Amino acid sequence: MRFPADGAHEIELVDTLIEQQRRFIKPLRYDARSTAGFPNVLLVDVGDESLPLHVVSAFAPEKEREAKVQVVNRQERPVWTWWTDQPMPPFPAVAGAQR
């Protein structure tokens, strides 16, 4: 699959979502000055509101990484964050999924 990715970790994230047959949207940042304010992916199968998925890459320039951390920390609603120097955390369950 080809899509505009913000690094190898974002490709891994999307590949994992596809493998798990999750529903998601990949926001595109065509004219954005900074990508930090955008979630890498929006998970849309978790209930009434989408869940922002953020990737904080250990390989990103420090200024970019700090900007992403500030965005994640300012969120008023829950977000999922993957710090790439750690294993990818599990995703929330699909809304209405049988256990």
Side-chain angles (χ1 to χ4, degrees), residues 49-96:
E49 290 190 34
S50 61
L51 176 70
L53 307 183
H54 290 275
V55 176
V56 182
S57 174
F59 300 106
E62 185 176 345
K63 185 176 180 179
E64 184 179 319
R65 193 173 53 251
E66 287 175 1
K68 184 69 140 175
V69 169
Q70 287 179 3
V71 167
V72 168
N73 289 338
R74 283 195 311 256
Q75 297 296 306
E76 293 181 13
R77 61 187 181 128
V79 299
W80 177 96
T81 307
W82 176 26
W83 299 82
T84 63
D85 58 348
Q86 301 172 19
M88 185 185 300
F91 303 117
V94 175

Side-chain angles (χ1 to χ4, degrees), residues 9-84:
H9 290 100
E10 188 172 271
I11 294 170
E12 183 178 352
L13 171 62
V14 169
D15 285 347
T16 302
L17 290 167
I18 291 169
E19 286 173 16
Q20 294 184 15
Q21 299 181 350
R22 300 301 298 260
R23 295 183 56 218
F24 63 93
I25 296 169
K26 167 65 177 99
L28 301 177
R29 309 159 174 95
Y30 289 111
D31 291 327
R33 294 177 129 199
S34 169
T35 62
F38 290 88
N40 295 82
V41 174
L42 291 168
L43 194 57
V44 298
D45 61 4
V46 292
D48 293 336
E49 290 190 34
S50 61
L51 176 70
L53 307 183
H54 290 275
V55 176
V56 182
S57 174
F59 300 106
E62 185 176 345
K63 185 176 180 179
E64 184 179 319
R65 193 173 53 251
E66 287 175 1
K68 184 69 140 175
V69 169
Q70 287 179 3
V71 167
V72 168
N73 289 338
R74 283 195 311 256
Q75 297 296 306
E76 293 181 13
R77 61 187 181 128
V79 299
W80 177 96
T81 307
W82 176 26
W83 299 82
T84 63

